[in-house]
Amino acid sequence: MLSAESAEDEQLWQQHLDSSIFNTGPVIDMPVPASFNDITQDPSLENYIGWVWYEKEVLLPLRWLQGDPAPRVVLRFGSAHYYSVVWVNGVQVVEHEGGHLPFEADISSVVQGSPDPLCRITVALNNTLTPHTLPPGSIQYMADKSRYPKNYFVQDTKFDFFNYAGIHRPVVLYTTPAAYIDDITVTTTSSDSVARVQYQVSVVGSTANSLSLSLRDQEGKVVATGDGAVGELKVLNPNLWWPYLMHENPGYLYSLEVKMQAQVGEVLLEDVYTLPLGIRTVHVTSTQFLINGRPFYFHGVNKHEDADIRGKGLDWPLIVKDFNLLRWLGANSFRTSHYPYAEEIMDLCDAYGIAVIDESPGVGIKLPESFGNKSLQHHLAVMEELVRRDKNRPSVVMWSVANEPASELPPAAHYFKTVIAHTKALDPSRPVTFVTDANYALDRGAPYVDVICVNSYFSWYHDPGHLEVIPLQLTAQFDNWYKTYQKPIIQSEYGADSVPGLHSDPPMMFTEEYQQAMLREYHSVLDKKRKEYVIGELIWNFADFMTNQGTTRVLGNKKGIFTRQRQPKAAAFVLRDRYWKIANESSCLPPVITSHSFYLK
Ligand code: BDP
């Protein structure tokens, strides 16, 4: 990887493309997936804003380059932060705005044109945020020469996590036949003894094709079959997808095998795609969130993709550890605060029955310019990408379009009305929310959402140190929101920082005792309100995470109930007792796992 001075440096750009970046200047080894920030000892790379270049050479199998018709060769990025331009053998194949979501390029014509199986992939990434990106940001130039060096600037953002950048998720090369299954959409409905799976399949590369579908249960038995691009499968006595702790067999997944045959010229092409499929329904009433017709209470967490060294880079051991901790905690849900998480994480939510509030990267939307048409159009495009990626996941029970935007600004009303309506049009089968700060009394998004998600930090950012104000203020918060909108409410964030190992009695801020005491105060109110219209509580945060440096942050945000290294603080035990108690009240618990057989991830 190599960093360039500026995008204007056209000569350097051309050099990077004409031959290997090794010929243009010093290059350092950079792992993928990973953020680049914490990999070296260089503070300028840690805080770097601008262009970086990645290069990788691979040898393609010869059978990918030949045939009539030759296969379609695709280069896919799980995510890269934030603006990416990709070349293969010096030819630009794709550009993409925004991190957190996948993008891909059909590179067949580039690689199949050359007899050489060597494929040089070059990626230029820029992590600069503007008022129109998601999340938004702005560059502040410090012109005062008496205080700052020449050309000094900082990236200003209005969100509270370190702005890691790099190629964060796996990059893969794969092939399909020249005619292929491009997309599948499924929605499910069910009554007691029969479920219906509506499907829609789109094929690219041929109009003369036939499609056949078969749905298999976990034993491999075919339980329904269908054909054609649009249709419905009927499943008798279905095994429903249930959240963890709501059923003895949570996360039940069928496999939907979609087979396409297409005549292209003289050749019959075949493409097969297998989609994991969970049968479940989601409904919202004025006081309840129903999964499969039964009231569901979110007892869960907010997370971040964040870890030592790899930053936001995908890390399998960490992912599996986190799911083990979630299940230890008795958590049945999380919110992907504040951006879409890796597909690998979402796959495990589907399989383990962890319900997800799937949030867009709409975090820190505070500047007036960020509510204009340019930003709005980008936000709509991001929602399209997110819904396309996650629409078939049973674990996703609600979309969140944003976190704590400046919804008091007048243009916010039109902005959020449009984003929410667009999301509902893209996916009429799921509720939509946006997450609001409790202090925005005149909230302009709440009229359009299905569920109110509210964040509050009583006794922390407001009345710091005064735990005794929580019962009154939290009760008033719930009563006011419910009186105004008559919609169910989730306490989508609440929390207090604690530095592990810091103690005091009576409890003082930043100690483990204070974090525990704050939880207990919140829980006493939540216990009353969950009998009425409060449908969930998500602690801020699952684990400590890195932020920008600042006077209120000691090596990051310490509101985790686990440390960044995933060790429990005292608060984790309070939450664990509570979540298991709530689960025991209403649910059927899964059997305790006693065997130690491993499945390779
Ligand atoms: C909330 C934000 C969250 C922050 C948290 C905090 O939604 O991103 O990390 O405050 O300050 O308002 O800890």
Side-chain angles (χ1 to χ4, degrees), residues 8 71 88-89 146 151-152 211 243 248 310 333 356 398 418-419 440 491 530 570:
E8 283 74 54
V88 170
N89 297 340
S146 66
N151 296 332
Y152 193 82
L211 287 159
E248 69 275 4
R310 64 272 294 146
S333 51
V356 178
M398 182 152 63
T418 312
V419 177
Y440 294 156
Q491 181 70 42
R530 73 189 166 95

Side-chain angles (χ1 to χ4, degrees), residues 451-471:
V451 171
I452 304 238
C453 283
V454 54
N455 299 346
S456 60
Y457 288 88
F458 305 128
S459 84
W460 192 259
Y461 292 122
H462 308 279
D463 304 296
H466 292 283
L467 294 163
E468 64 282 5
V469 303
I470 293 175

Side-chain angles (χ1 to χ4, degrees), residues 159-161 304 335 337-338 363 403-404 435 437 455-457 460-461 493 495 497 540-541 545 547 553 557-559:
F159 53 81
D160 180 39
F161 52 89
H304 262 301
R335 171 165 73 116
S337 45
H338 293 307
V363 58
N403 180 69
E404 294 186 359
V435 175
D437 182 321
N455 299 346
S456 60
Y457 288 88
W460 192 259
Y461 292 122
E493 283 184 29
D497 287 74
W540 190 262
N541 190 284
F545 58 92
T547 62
R553 296 287 176 259
N557 188 310
K558 291 277 184 283
K559 293 193 186 69

Side-chain angles (χ1 to χ4, degrees), residues 371-373 376-377 409-420 444 448:
F371 290 97
N373 196 40
L376 177 60
Q377 293 312 318
L409 297 177
H414 169 70
Y415 187 98
F416 283 106
K417 189 178 171 187
T418 312
V419 177
I420 290 166
R444 299 189 194 247
Y448 314 112

